[in-house]
Amino acid sequence: EPEVTQTPSHQVTQMGQEVILRCVPISNHLYFYWYRQILGQKVEFLVSFYNNEISEKSEIFDDQFSVERPDGSNFTLKIRSTKLEDSAMYFCASSDPTAGLEYEQYFGPGTRLTVT
Amino acid sequence: AQSVTQPDIHITVSEGASLELRCNYSYGATPYLFWYVQSPGQGLQLLLKYFSGDTLVQGIKGFEAEFKRSQSSFNLRKPSVHWSDAAEYFCAVGGTSYGKLTFGQGTILTVHP
């Protein structure tokens, strides 16, 4: 069964460093998302992406964050200058544009980001 | 603004017992409702969804959920829990296709043998 994959599974970085989290969505999906979950808190929406541009973003998704689809298979989240409070599990998700399936988001296993 | 509340942070049941996990939502229009499950080290797996029509929806692994508009609820049920059901369960609401999902804080399910 197709699945969303994410790399790395765990990333440790120092405060102020740039990180890139990578995702490979399900191959025929065209909508892509990033969410994050700070330990002990809710899963929070960050951004959605379609047709090479951001469709929607949350207040969390400030200028320190950016997303990109650099090729036909990868979808990345970049944090330019990490802060301690960016430590969280980051989930990538994708959805199928086929009518009737477009509301369903399929999630990857997550990347745990630890900022020290 | 849309929101989801899962009143129970942690539930413990015995294997074979029935299960109900509560979810209440707030949304101005007809919501799209979802239940996801997360096992340790795994991603969020979609259990079931409600968009419209029959208010009782069936999902994978023997789960079902009932949409009650009058109570703004979408509770998850299973008649007989298996040890492998131990995981964290998330209720989520969405308002549009391709739009964001808003999650509850999750309910951790522990299953005793």
Side-chain angles (χ1 to χ4, degrees):
Chain A
E1 183 176 333
E3 58 184 19
V4 177
T5 59
Q6 292 185 242
T7 54
S9 57
H10 192 187
Q11 174 87 47
V12 181
T13 189
Q14 289 189 326
M15 193 168 51
Q17 295 297 303
E18 174 183 286
V19 295
I20 297 176
L21 309 183
R22 302 180 191 281
C23 168
V24 179
I26 295 172
S27 61
N28 64 324
H29 287 189
L30 296 180
Y31 276 75
F32 314 115
Y33 313 83
W34 284 101
Y35 292 80
R36 78 173 185 188
Q37 184 181 29
I38 295 172
L39 190 63
Q41 299 185 24
K42 295 184 180 185
V43 176
E44 303 172 289
F45 169 80
L46 291 178
V47 66
S48 59
F49 187 87
Y50 171 70
N51 200 25
N52 281 321
E53 61 182 27
I54 290 173
S55 303
E56 187 176 1
K57 62 182 181 179
S58 71
E59 294 176 352
I60 303 167
F61 194 88
D62 60 22
D63 292 344
Q64 292 298 312
F65 292 88
S66 63
V67 289
E68 189 180 24
R69 187 153 166 82
D71 53 44
S73 59
N74 290 282
F75 179 52
T76 62
L77 175 69
K78 181 192 292 185
I79 309 175
R80 289 190 183 84
S81 178
T82 51
K83 307 181 185 70
L84 294 177
E85 54 265 37
D86 294 327
S87 295
M89 180 74 87
Y90 288 80
F91 292 105
C92 174
S94 66
S95 63
D96 184 339
T98 304
L101 298 177
E102 64 270 32
Y103 307 99
E104 300 179 18
Q105 296 181 23
Y106 291 84
F107 285 76
T111 293
R112 179 162 296 286
L113 176 66
T114 301
V115 182
T116 61
Chain B
Q2 57 199 55
S3 67
V4 177
T5 301
Q6 293 179 246
D8 305 305
I9 295 174
H10 195 173
I11 282 184
T12 299
V13 300
S14 297
E15 192 169 16
S18 63
L19 172 71
E20 182 169 31
L21 302 183
R22 296 182 291 166
C23 172
N24 293 99
Y25 69 90
S26 174
Y27 188 73
T30 301
Y32 300 106
L33 294 160
F34 307 84
W35 275 99
Y36 285 86
V37 60
Q38 185 181 30
S39 299
Q42 304 295 313
L44 297 164
Q45 182 183 22
L46 180 63
L47 276 179
L48 49 73
K49 59 190 181 288
Y50 171 79
F51 297 153
S52 63
D54 193 345
T55 56
L56 184 64
V57 293
Q58 304 296 319
I60 62 172
K61 306 185 180 187
F63 286 92
E64 65 178 26
E66 186 170 13
F67 169 61
K68 292 186 177 179
R69 184 186 300 275
S70 61
Q71 298 177 19
S72 297
S73 69
F74 188 57
N75 294 349
L76 182 71
R77 301 194 293 247
K78 186 169 185 178
S80 178
V81 171
H82 188 262
W83 63 266
S84 60
D85 293 324
E88 188 162 16
Y89 292 79
F90 294 91
C91 182
V93 64
T96 61
S97 62
Y98 318 123
K100 69 177 184 181
L101 295 180
T102 298
F103 285 82
Q105 67 267 40
T107 298
I108 297 171
L109 174 65
T110 298
V111 180
H112 281 163

CSV table of all heavy atoms in Angstrom, one decimal, chain A residues 54-82:
chain,number,residue,atom,x,y,z
A,54,ILE,N,1.7,27.9,-1.8
A,54,ILE,CA,1.0,27.7,-0.5
A,54,ILE,C,-0.4,28.0,-0.7
A,54,ILE,O,-0.8,29.1,-1.2
A,54,ILE,CB,1.7,28.6,0.5
A,54,ILE,CG1,3.1,28.1,0.9
A,54,ILE,CG2,0.8,28.6,1.8
A,54,ILE,CD1,3.9,29.0,1.8
A,55,SER,N,-1.3,27.1,-0.3
A,55,SER,CA,-2.7,27.3,-0.3
A,55,SER,C,-3.2,28.0,1.0
A,55,SER,O,-4.1,28.8,0.9
A,55,SER,CB,-3.4,26.0,-0.5
A,55,SER,OG,-3.0,25.3,-1.6
A,56,GLU,N,-2.7,27.5,2.1
A,56,GLU,CA,-3.1,28.0,3.4
A,56,GLU,C,-1.9,27.9,4.4
A,56,GLU,O,-1.2,26.9,4.3
A,56,GLU,CB,-4.3,27.3,3.9
A,56,GLU,CG,-5.0,27.8,5.1
A,56,GLU,CD,-6.3,27.0,5.5
A,56,GLU,OE1,-6.6,26.0,4.8
A,56,GLU,OE2,-6.9,27.3,6.5
A,57,LYS,N,-1.8,28.8,5.3
A,57,LYS,CA,-0.8,28.7,6.3
A,57,LYS,C,-1.3,29.2,7.6
A,57,LYS,O,-2.2,30.0,7.7
A,57,LYS,CB,0.5,29.4,5.9
A,57,LYS,CG,0.3,30.9,5.8
A,57,LYS,CD,1.7,31.5,5.3
A,57,LYS,CE,1.5,33.0,5.2
A,57,LYS,NZ,2.8,33.6,4.8
A,58,SER,N,-0.7,28.7,8.7
A,58,SER,CA,-1.2,29.1,10.0
A,58,SER,C,-0.3,30.2,10.5
A,58,SER,O,0.7,30.6,9.9
A,58,SER,CB,-1.1,27.9,11.0
A,58,SER,OG,0.3,27.6,11.3
A,59,GLU,N,-0.7,30.7,11.7
A,59,GLU,CA,0.1,31.8,12.3
A,59,GLU,C,1.5,31.3,12.7
A,59,GLU,O,2.5,32.1,12.8
A,59,GLU,CB,-0.6,32.3,13.6
A,59,GLU,CG,-1.9,33.0,13.3
A,59,GLU,CD,-2.6,33.4,14.6
A,59,GLU,OE1,-2.2,33.0,15.7
A,59,GLU,OE2,-3.6,34.1,14.5
A,60,ILE,N,1.7,30.0,12.9
A,60,ILE,CA,3.0,29.5,13.3
A,60,ILE,C,3.9,29.6,12.1
A,60,ILE,O,5.1,29.8,12.3
A,60,ILE,CB,2.8,28.0,13.7
A,60,ILE,CG1,1.8,27.8,14.8
A,60,ILE,CG2,4.2,27.4,14.0
A,60,ILE,CD1,1.4,26.4,15.0
A,61,PHE,N,3.4,29.5,10.9
A,61,PHE,CA,4.3,29.4,9.7
A,61,PHE,C,4.7,30.8,9.4
A,61,PHE,O,4.1,31.5,8.5
A,61,PHE,CB,3.5,28.8,8.6
A,61,PHE,CG,4.3,28.4,7.4
A,61,PHE,CD1,4.9,27.1,7.4
A,61,PHE,CD2,4.5,29.2,6.3
A,61,PHE,CE1,5.7,26.7,6.3
A,61,PHE,CE2,5.3,28.8,5.3
A,61,PHE,CZ,5.9,27.6,5.2
A,62,ASP,N,5.7,31.3,10.1
A,62,ASP,CA,6.2,32.7,9.8
A,62,ASP,C,7.3,32.7,8.8
A,62,ASP,O,7.6,31.7,8.2
A,62,ASP,CB,6.6,33.3,11.1
A,62,ASP,CG,7.7,32.6,11.9
A,62,ASP,OD1,8.5,31.8,11.2
A,62,ASP,OD2,7.8,32.8,13.1
A,63,ASP,N,8.1,33.8,8.7
A,63,ASP,CA,9.1,33.9,7.7
A,63,ASP,C,10.3,33.0,7.9
A,63,ASP,O,11.1,32.8,7.0
A,63,ASP,CB,9.6,35.3,7.7
A,63,ASP,CG,8.6,36.3,7.2
A,63,ASP,OD1,7.6,35.9,6.6
A,63,ASP,OD2,8.7,37.5,7.4
A,64,GLN,N,10.4,32.3,9.1
A,64,GLN,CA,11.4,31.4,9.3
A,64,GLN,C,11.2,30.0,8.6
A,64,GLN,O,12.1,29.2,8.5
A,64,GLN,CB,11.6,31.1,10.8
A,64,GLN,CG,12.1,32.3,11.6
A,64,GLN,CD,13.5,32.7,11.1
A,64,GLN,OE1,14.4,31.9,11.0
A,64,GLN,NE2,13.7,34.0,10.9
A,65,PHE,N,9.9,29.8,8.2
A,65,PHE,CA,9.6,28.6,7.6
A,65,PHE,C,9.4,28.8,6.1
A,65,PHE,O,8.9,29.8,5.6
A,65,PHE,CB,8.2,28.1,8.1
A,65,PHE,CG,8.3,27.6,9.6
A,65,PHE,CD1,8.1,28.5,10.6
A,65,PHE,CD2,8.5,26.3,9.9
A,65,PHE,CE1,8.1,28.1,11.9
A,65,PHE,CE2,8.6,25.9,11.2
A,65,PHE,CZ,8.4,26.8,12.2
A,66,SER,N,9.7,27.7,5.3
A,66,SER,CA,9.4,27.7,3.9
A,66,SER,C,9.2,26.3,3.4
A,66,SER,O,9.6,25.4,4.1
A,66,SER,CB,10.5,28.4,3.1
A,66,SER,OG,11.7,27.7,3.2
A,67,VAL,N,8.4,26.2,2.4
A,67,VAL,CA,8.2,24.8,1.8
A,67,VAL,C,8.5,24.9,0.3
A,67,VAL,O,8.5,25.9,-0.3
A,67,VAL,CB,6.7,24.3,2.0
A,67,VAL,CG1,6.5,24.0,3.5
A,67,VAL,CG2,5.7,25.4,1.5
A,68,GLU,N,8.8,23.7,-0.2
A,68,GLU,CA,9.2,23.6,-1.6
A,68,GLU,C,9.0,22.2,-2.1
A,68,GLU,O,9.0,21.2,-1.3
A,68,GLU,CB,10.7,23.9,-1.7
A,68,GLU,CG,11.3,24.0,-3.1
A,68,GLU,CD,12.7,24.4,-3.1
A,68,GLU,OE1,13.4,24.0,-2.2
A,68,GLU,OE2,13.2,24.9,-4.1
A,69,ARG,N,8.7,22.1,-3.3
A,69,ARG,CA,8.6,20.8,-4.0
A,69,ARG,C,9.7,20.9,-5.1
A,69,ARG,O,9.5,21.3,-6.2
A,69,ARG,CB,7.2,20.6,-4.6
A,69,ARG,CG,7.0,19.2,-5.2
A,69,ARG,CD,5.5,18.9,-5.2
A,69,ARG,NE,5.2,17.7,-6.0
A,69,ARG,CZ,5.3,16.5,-5.6
A,69,ARG,NH1,5.9,16.2,-4.5
A,69,ARG,NH2,5.0,15.5,-6.4
A,70,PRO,N,10.9,20.5,-4.7
A,70,PRO,CA,12.0,20.7,-5.6
A,70,PRO,C,12.0,19.8,-6.9
A,70,PRO,O,12.7,20.1,-7.8
A,70,PRO,CB,13.2,20.3,-4.7
A,70,PRO,CG,12.7,19.4,-3.7
A,70,PRO,CD,11.3,19.8,-3.4
A,71,ASP,N,11.3,18.7,-6.8
A,71,ASP,CA,11.2,17.8,-8.0
A,71,ASP,C,9.8,17.1,-7.9
A,71,ASP,O,9.0,17.5,-7.1
A,71,ASP,CB,12.4,16.8,-7.9
A,71,ASP,CG,12.4,16.0,-6.6
A,71,ASP,OD1,11.4,15.6,-6.1
A,71,ASP,OD2,13.5,15.9,-6.1
A,72,GLY,N,9.7,16.1,-8.7
A,72,GLY,CA,8.3,15.5,-8.8
A,72,GLY,C,7.9,14.6,-7.7
A,72,GLY,O,6.8,14.1,-7.6
A,73,SER,N,8.9,14.4,-6.8
A,73,SER,CA,8.5,13.4,-5.7
A,73,SER,C,8.7,14.0,-4.3
A,73,SER,O,8.1,13.5,-3.4
A,73,SER,CB,9.4,12.1,-5.9
A,73,SER,OG,10.7,12.4,-5.8
A,74,ASN,N,9.6,14.9,-4.1
A,74,ASN,CA,9.9,15.4,-2.7
A,74,ASN,C,9.1,16.6,-2.4
A,74,ASN,O,8.8,17.5,-3.2
A,74,ASN,CB,11.4,15.7,-2.6
A,74,ASN,CG,12.2,14.4,-2.6
A,74,ASN,OD1,12.3,13.7,-1.6
A,74,ASN,ND2,12.8,14.1,-3.8
A,75,PHE,N,8.9,16.8,-1.1
A,75,PHE,CA,8.2,18.0,-0.5
A,75,PHE,C,9.0,18.3,0.8
A,75,PHE,O,9.2,17.4,1.6
A,75,PHE,CB,6.8,17.7,-0.2
A,75,PHE,CG,6.0,18.8,0.3
A,75,PHE,CD1,6.0,20.1,-0.3
A,75,PHE,CD2,5.2,18.6,1.5
A,75,PHE,CE1,5.3,21.1,0.3
A,75,PHE,CE2,4.5,19.7,2.0
A,75,PHE,CZ,4.5,20.9,1.4
A,76,THR,N,9.5,19.5,0.8
A,76,THR,CA,10.4,19.8,2.0
A,76,THR,C,9.9,21.0,2.8
A,76,THR,O,9.2,21.9,2.3
A,76,THR,CB,11.8,20.2,1.5
A,76,THR,OG1,11.7,21.4,0.7
A,76,THR,CG2,12.4,19.1,0.7
A,77,LEU,N,10.3,20.9,4.1
A,77,LEU,CA,10.0,22.0,5.0
A,77,LEU,C,11.4,22.5,5.5
A,77,LEU,O,12.2,21.7,6.0
A,77,LEU,CB,9.2,21.5,6.2
A,77,LEU,CG,8.9,22.6,7.3
A,77,LEU,CD1,8.0,23.7,6.8
A,77,LEU,CD2,8.3,21.9,8.6
A,78,LYS,N,11.6,23.8,5.3
A,78,LYS,CA,12.9,24.4,5.8
A,78,LYS,C,12.6,25.3,6.9
A,78,LYS,O,11.7,26.2,6.9
A,78,LYS,CB,13.6,25.2,4.6
A,78,LYS,CG,14.9,25.8,5.1
A,78,LYS,CD,15.4,26.7,4.0
A,78,LYS,CE,15.8,26.1,2.8
A,78,LYS,NZ,16.5,27.1,1.8
A,79,ILE,N,13.4,25.2,8.0
A,79,ILE,CA,13.4,26.2,9.0
A,79,ILE,C,14.7,26.9,9.0
A,79,ILE,O,15.8,26.3,9.2
A,79,ILE,CB,13.2,25.5,10.4
A,79,ILE,CG1,11.9,24.6,10.4
A,79,ILE,CG2,13.0,26.6,11.5
A,79,ILE,CD1,11.7,23.8,11.7
A,80,ARG,N,14.7,28.2,8.8
A,80,ARG,CA,16.0,28.9,8.5
A,80,ARG,C,16.9,29.1,9.7
A,80,ARG,O,18.1,28.9,9.6
A,80,ARG,CB,15.6,30.3,7.9
A,80,ARG,CG,15.1,30.3,6.6
A,80,ARG,CD,15.0,31.7,5.9
A,80,ARG,NE,14.3,31.6,4.6
A,80,ARG,CZ,13.0,31.5,4.4
A,80,ARG,NH1,12.2,31.6,5.5
A,80,ARG,NH2,12.5,31.4,3.2
A,81,SER,N,16.3,29.4,10.8
A,81,SER,CA,17.1,29.7,12.0
A,81,SER,C,16.4,29.1,13.2
A,81,SER,O,15.5,29.7,13.7
A,81,SER,CB,17.4,31.2,12.2
A,81,SER,OG,18.1,31.4,13.4
A,82,THR,N,16.7,27.9,13.5
A,82,THR,CA,15.9,27.1,14.5
A,82,THR,C,16.0,27.8,15.9
A,82,THR,O,17.0,28.3,16.3
A,82,THR,CB,16.3,25.7,14.6
A,82,THR,OG1,17.7,25.6,14.8
A,82,THR,CG2,15.9,24.9,13.3
